[in-house]
Amino acid sequence: MSTIKSPLSDEARKVTGEALQGALVDLVDLSLVGKQAHWNVYGRNFRSLHLQLDEIVDAARLASDTVAERAVAIGVAPDARAATVASGTGLPGVDSGQLTDQKVIELFIDAYAKIIERMRQRIDVTADPDPVSQDILIGITQELEKQYWMWQAELSAG
Protein backbone atom coordinates (compact mmCIF):
# COMPACT_ATOMS: atom_id res chain seq x y z
CA MET A 1 0.00 0.00 0.00
CA SER A 2 1.39 3.35 -1.01
CA THR A 3 1.59 6.18 1.51
CA ILE A 4 1.60 8.69 -1.35
CA LYS A 5 -1.84 9.71 -2.55
CA SER A 6 -2.04 9.73 -6.30
CA PRO A 7 -4.66 11.30 -8.55
CA LEU A 8 -4.36 8.19 -10.72
CA SER A 9 -6.62 5.19 -10.38
CA ASP A 10 -4.99 1.99 -9.13
CA GLU A 11 -4.96 0.56 -12.66
CA ALA A 12 -3.52 3.75 -14.18
CA ARG A 13 -0.85 3.86 -11.47
CA LYS A 14 0.01 0.19 -12.12
CA VAL A 15 0.40 0.67 -15.89
CA THR A 16 2.31 3.93 -15.49
CA GLY A 17 4.45 2.56 -12.68
CA GLU A 18 5.53 -0.38 -14.83
CA ALA A 19 6.43 1.95 -17.69
CA LEU A 20 8.41 4.24 -15.40
CA GLN A 21 10.18 1.29 -13.75
CA GLY A 22 11.20 -0.09 -17.12
CA ALA A 23 12.49 3.31 -18.20
CA LEU A 24 14.41 3.66 -14.94
CA VAL A 25 16.13 0.31 -15.40
CA ASP A 26 17.13 1.05 -18.99
CA LEU A 27 18.38 4.55 -18.16
CA VAL A 28 20.43 3.37 -15.19
CA ASP A 29 21.92 0.64 -17.36
CA LEU A 30 22.68 3.17 -20.10
CA SER A 31 24.65 5.22 -17.57
CA LEU A 32 26.55 2.13 -16.41
CA VAL A 33 27.34 0.96 -19.93
CA GLY A 34 28.42 4.51 -20.75
CA LYS A 35 30.81 4.63 -17.80
CA GLN A 36 32.23 1.18 -18.58
CA ALA A 37 32.91 2.25 -22.17
CA HIS A 38 34.29 5.61 -20.96
CA TRP A 39 36.94 3.85 -18.90
CA ASN A 40 37.90 1.35 -21.59
CA VAL A 41 37.65 3.07 -24.98
CA TYR A 42 40.79 3.46 -27.05
CA GLY A 43 41.63 4.34 -30.62
CA ARG A 44 41.91 7.29 -32.96
CA ASN A 45 38.68 8.85 -31.64
CA PHE A 46 39.49 8.20 -27.98
CA ARG A 47 39.31 11.76 -26.70
CA SER A 48 36.06 12.77 -28.35
CA LEU A 49 34.36 9.49 -27.40
CA HIS A 50 35.72 9.63 -23.86
CA LEU A 51 34.12 13.05 -23.43
CA GLN A 52 30.92 12.11 -25.27
CA LEU A 53 30.47 9.10 -23.00
CA ASP A 54 30.62 11.31 -19.91
CA GLU A 55 27.87 13.46 -21.42
CA ILE A 56 25.76 10.33 -21.97
CA VAL A 57 26.29 9.20 -18.39
CA ASP A 58 25.27 12.61 -17.04
CA ALA A 59 22.17 12.78 -19.24
CA ALA A 60 21.11 9.21 -18.39
CA ARG A 61 21.53 9.86 -14.66
CA LEU A 62 19.49 13.05 -14.84
CA ALA A 63 16.75 11.31 -16.82
CA SER A 64 16.70 8.34 -14.44
CA ASP A 65 16.29 10.71 -11.50
CA THR A 66 13.40 12.45 -13.24
CA VAL A 67 11.71 9.10 -13.94
CA ALA A 68 12.25 7.82 -10.39
CA GLU A 69 10.87 11.00 -8.85
CA ARG A 70 7.80 10.82 -11.08
CA ALA A 71 7.24 7.25 -9.93
CA VAL A 72 7.39 8.34 -6.30
CA ALA A 73 5.02 11.23 -7.04
CA ILE A 74 2.37 8.77 -8.24
CA GLY A 75 2.92 6.40 -5.33
CA VAL A 76 5.22 3.83 -6.95
CA ALA A 77 8.52 2.88 -5.32
CA PRO A 78 11.33 2.97 -7.92
CA ASP A 79 13.87 0.15 -7.87
CA ALA A 80 17.31 0.66 -9.38
CA ARG A 81 19.21 -1.93 -7.37
CA ALA A 82 21.97 -3.69 -9.29
CA ALA A 83 20.08 -7.00 -9.41
CA THR A 84 16.93 -5.28 -10.67
CA VAL A 85 18.83 -3.43 -13.39
CA ALA A 86 20.73 -6.56 -14.43
CA SER A 87 17.59 -8.67 -14.72
CA GLY A 88 15.35 -6.05 -16.34
CA THR A 89 17.45 -4.15 -18.82
CA GLY A 90 16.78 -4.32 -22.53
CA LEU A 91 20.15 -2.89 -23.49
CA PRO A 92 22.99 -4.93 -24.96
CA GLY A 93 25.80 -5.77 -22.58
CA VAL A 94 29.24 -4.30 -22.87
CA ASP A 95 32.32 -6.49 -23.07
CA SER A 96 34.87 -6.31 -20.29
CA GLY A 97 38.32 -4.98 -21.03
CA GLN A 98 39.44 -2.49 -23.61
CA LEU A 99 37.06 -1.46 -26.38
CA THR A 100 38.05 -0.01 -29.73
CA ASP A 101 36.47 3.29 -30.65
CA GLN A 102 34.67 1.51 -33.52
CA LYS A 103 33.25 -1.11 -31.14
CA VAL A 104 32.02 1.63 -28.76
CA ILE A 105 30.28 3.48 -31.58
CA GLU A 106 28.56 0.30 -32.77
CA LEU A 107 27.60 -0.61 -29.19
CA PHE A 108 25.92 2.75 -28.60
CA ILE A 109 24.11 2.75 -31.92
CA ASP A 110 22.64 -0.60 -30.92
CA ALA A 111 21.93 0.51 -27.33
CA TYR A 112 20.14 3.66 -28.44
CA ALA A 113 18.06 1.77 -31.01
CA LYS A 114 16.89 -0.63 -28.31
CA ILE A 115 16.21 1.94 -25.59
CA ILE A 116 14.31 4.18 -28.02
CA GLU A 117 12.14 1.28 -29.14
CA ARG A 118 11.33 0.44 -25.52
CA MET A 119 10.73 4.08 -24.59
CA ARG A 120 8.31 4.52 -27.50
CA GLN A 121 6.35 1.51 -26.24
CA ARG A 122 6.18 3.16 -22.82
CA ILE A 123 5.02 6.40 -24.41
CA ASP A 124 2.19 4.48 -26.09
CA VAL A 125 1.02 2.70 -22.93
CA THR A 126 1.02 5.85 -20.78
CA ALA A 127 -1.02 7.99 -23.21
CA ASP A 128 -4.36 7.30 -21.56
CA PRO A 129 -3.51 6.45 -17.95
CA ASP A 130 -1.07 9.32 -17.33
CA PRO A 131 -0.27 11.97 -19.93
CA VAL A 132 2.02 13.71 -17.42
CA SER A 133 4.31 10.68 -17.21
CA GLN A 134 3.96 10.25 -20.96
CA ASP A 135 5.22 13.81 -21.44
CA ILE A 136 8.28 13.05 -19.31
CA LEU A 137 8.98 9.94 -21.36
CA ILE A 138 8.54 11.89 -24.60
CA GLY A 139 11.09 14.50 -23.48
CA ILE A 140 13.61 11.85 -22.50
CA THR A 141 13.07 9.99 -25.77
CA GLN A 142 13.62 13.18 -27.72
CA GLU A 143 17.08 13.47 -26.16
CA LEU A 144 17.79 9.77 -26.72
CA GLU A 145 16.90 10.14 -30.40
CA LYS A 146 19.25 13.12 -30.68
CA GLN A 147 22.06 11.03 -29.21
CA TYR A 148 21.16 8.13 -31.53
CA TRP A 149 21.60 10.44 -34.51
CA MET A 150 24.94 11.67 -33.19
CA TRP A 151 26.26 8.14 -32.69
CA GLN A 152 25.24 7.22 -36.22
CA ALA A 153 27.05 10.31 -37.49
CA GLU A 154 30.20 9.09 -35.70
CA LEU A 155 30.05 5.83 -37.61
CA SER A 156 29.45 7.59 -40.91
CA ALA A 157 32.49 9.80 -40.34
CA GLY A 158 34.84 6.84 -39.87
Side-chain angles (χ1 to χ4, degrees), residues 132-150:
V132 175
S133 293
Q134 182 196 43
D135 186 57
I136 290 168
L137 297 173
I138 289 169
I140 291 168
T141 303
Q142 177 184 4
E143 181 60 29
L144 293 170
E145 289 179 352
K146 176 182 168 188
Q147 292 300 322
Y148 183 47
W149 153 59
M150 290 183 173

Side-chain angles (χ1 to χ4, degrees), residues 26-90:
D26 284 351
L27 290 164
V28 168
D29 196 30
L30 181 63
S31 73
L32 294 172
V33 170
K35 204 45 131 165
Q36 182 69 20
H38 168 85
W39 293 322
N40 289 291
V41 66
Y42 72 94
R44 182 178 36 195
N45 297 312
F46 162 79
R47 179 147 173 78
S48 63
L49 290 178
H50 187 75
L51 297 172
Q52 185 176 5
L53 288 163
D54 262 346
E55 292 172 7
I56 285 169
V57 170
D58 291 345
R61 287 179 178 166
L62 181 62
S64 65
D65 192 52
T66 300
V67 166
E69 288 179 356
R70 177 62 186 164
V72 172
I74 65 166
V76 175
D79 184 357
R81 295 172 298 158
T84 303
V85 172
S87 67
T89 186

Side-chain angles (χ1 to χ4, degrees), residues 105 109 151-158:
I105 292 166
I109 289 171
W151 281 104
Q152 291 176 76
E154 288 278 350
L155 186 61
S156 298

